[in-house]
Amino acid sequence: MSSTEPRRTALDATHRALGATMTDFAGWDMPLRYGSEREEHVAVRTRAGLFDLSHMGEITVTGPQAAELLNFALVGNIGTVKPGRARYTMICREDGGILDDLIVYRLDDTSAHYMVVANASNAQVVLDALTGRAAGFDAEVRDDRDAYALLAVQGPESPGILASLTDADLDGLKYYAGLPGTVAGVPALIARTGYTGEDGFELFVKPEHAVELWQALTKAGEGAGLVPCGLSCRDTLRLEAGMPLYGNELSTALTPFDAGLGRVVKFEKEGDFVGRAALTEAASRAEQNPPRVLVGLVAEGRRVPRSGYQVVAGGEVIGEVTSGAPSPTLGKPIAMAYVDPAHAAPGTEGVGVDIRGSHEPYEVVALPFYKRQK
């Protein structure tokens, strides 16, 4: 196989048998959609959807100083993560630029076993950074991307579907937590995080078990209206939920403070960490001279904004769209954009998006666009 050909997940043949439209994403051949992306989106909002997320990058960090290494390498305080819990955090460059946003799971009660989950497009970058930053720590960084397949079932019916296949304590599994269990006879790490704005679960399993687990979940979800879902609806779901996407809302050109996510940086933790000095300056700068603010935009018309389009007001450029798409839930085009603070308040009038030379009117709204009823 040519090194330029995309990698295939353990579920590749399953996707093709289901008639999926495949696309090259971050070096992986992934299902974009199986039929109507709008119907897949609505299924997740109202029933349940099944995703293959095996392109995500799992990196294991073990050893007596695993927690210390992660505290040094990442901006969060990983040392305070309790066993069985997970934390959203970021890995930054020395200059404070965001290399990736991550989820870190603490897998046991010895502070010696963690799993870092990176975005597919940045997995190698994160692996290289963690490996380089491990020097001097009694800890091992291991590339486990080939050790896992990752399936996700998302939507309001997902707890019932999964409960029919496992005796794990799903009711006791909190948001941003994980526990080992068995699902349809398959050993799995069952996590409750998600990237859709709905309740749901991620199942980390060995690749050789992926097909049987997919089939079991499909059968268990038949009565609940579960459908297979591709990356296209995953993007519109996360956009409605106001969740950032690396390469759109996050990049090395931005610090967490520029992205409005300064809360993930924990200056109070003990010891130094990569980027501390630059991020201290960024925090001070943001306080004195607030950067552009990430806001939601809802179209008054039907034209869809796309990443990179200029946001305008009074004939001046006041920001830039980072993500845009039609919203199946709102029935209108929506976007996330970084705009000048003077135009960031919900309800600000006179804001538009330059779509091919035409300034289309948009309403500024608070994020997220959609929040599920709990």
Side-chain angles (χ1 to χ4, degrees):
M1 179 183 289
S2 166
S3 60
T4 60
E5 289 186 20
R7 299 179 65 187
R8 297 184 174 188
T9 76
L11 288 158
D12 183 78
T14 300
H15 301 316
R16 294 174 192 279
L18 289 168
T21 298
M22 306 297 287
T23 187
D24 185 349
F25 181 80
W28 290 83
D29 215 6
M30 298 296 295
L32 186 64
R33 68 182 72 83
Y34 297 85
S36 161
E37 56 199 58
R38 184 185 186 282
E39 289 177 6
E40 291 171 22
H41 180 112
V42 172
V44 175
R45 284 277 177 262
T46 60
R47 305 185 306 276
L50 179 59
F51 296 83
D52 177 11
L53 305 180
S54 302
H55 60 314
M56 300 295 282
E58 295 87 4
I59 301 165
T60 301
V61 181
T62 58
Q65 291 188 306
E68 288 86 345
L69 164 58
L70 290 171
N71 262 6
F72 171 72
L74 311 180
V75 301
N77 191 351
I78 307 306
T80 61
V81 179
K82 297 189 183 319
R85 297 308 302 267
R87 181 157 299 166
Y88 176 78
T89 186
M90 294 181 180
I91 183 167
C92 291
R93 302 191 306 192
E94 199 69 70
D95 67 0
I98 303 167
L99 285 172
D100 201 14
D101 60 334
L102 312 165
I103 296 179
V104 179
Y105 295 89
R106 181 175 170 187
L107 298 181
D108 64 23
D109 58 5
T110 65
S111 296
H113 191 185
Y114 296 83
M115 181 169 67
V116 178
V117 181
N119 286 297
S121 57
N122 294 327
Q124 189 63 49
V125 170
V126 174
L127 177 66
D128 291 345
L130 287 175
T131 301
R133 296 173 188 186
F137 290 93
D138 186 4
E140 177 192 356
V141 177
R142 187 174 70 238
D143 181 1
D144 271 348
R145 284 176 287 179
D146 291 336
Y148 292 103
L150 176 57
L151 282 64
V153 56
Q154 294 278 305
E157 298 292 337
S158 59
I161 293 169
L162 192 59
S164 71
L165 297 173
T166 182
D167 58 4
D169 181 16
L170 300 183
D171 289 340
L173 185 62
K174 297 179 180 178
Y175 188 51
Y176 265 73
L179 82 169
T182 301
V183 182
V186 172
L189 171 65
I190 305 168
R192 198 171 205 162
T193 53
Y195 193 55
T196 64
E198 297 297 338
D199 191 11
F201 303 87
E202 294 69 51
L203 307 171
F204 296 86
V205 300
K206 290 182 178 179
E208 57 264 34
H209 296 316
V211 172
E212 63 178 295
L213 183 55
W214 179 280
Q215 292 172 341
L217 288 163
T218 298
K219 189 171 184 351
E222 282 176 354
L226 176 140
V227 300
C229 293
L231 294 180
S232 186
C233 83
R234 181 171 155 87
D235 189 48
T236 53
L237 288 160
R238 70 91 195 168
L239 175 56
E240 287 184 350
M243 295 179 172
L245 174 66
Y246 194 90
N248 291 45
E249 288 72 41
L250 307 174
S251 73
T252 54
L254 299 172
T255 72
F257 294 95
D258 297 321
L261 291 166
R263 64 182 182 275
V264 307
V265 182
K266 303 301 182 184
F267 292 116
E268 70 274 14
K269 64 180 176 179
E270 291 185 15
D272 196 13
F273 63 90
V274 176
R276 179 189 274 274
L279 289 170
T280 300
E281 289 183 17
S284 176
R285 205 163 51 238
E287 198 169 302
Q288 297 169 17
N289 183 25
R292 282 181 165 175
V293 180
L294 188 64
V295 301
L297 299 174
V298 177
E300 294 183 17
R302 308 303 302 174
R303 300 188 72 184
V304 179
R306 299 298 182 188
S307 177
Y309 285 13
Q310 292 180 336
V311 183
V312 294
E316 301 290 328
V317 176
I318 61 158
E320 184 176 298
V321 171
T322 55
S323 297
S327 165
T329 303
L330 275 64
K332 299 177 180 179
I334 60 173
M336 287 198 285
Y338 283 111
V339 302
D340 295 340
H343 297 86
T348 299
E349 297 183 351
V351 172
V353 175
D354 187 337
I355 301 181
R356 298 186 180 89
S358 174
H359 291 186
E360 301 291 329
Y362 273 75
E363 179 188 359
V364 179
V365 300
L367 292 170
F369 301 96
Y370 167 85
K371 194 168 187 179
R372 72 181 174 94
Q373 299 298 314
K374 297 184 180 180

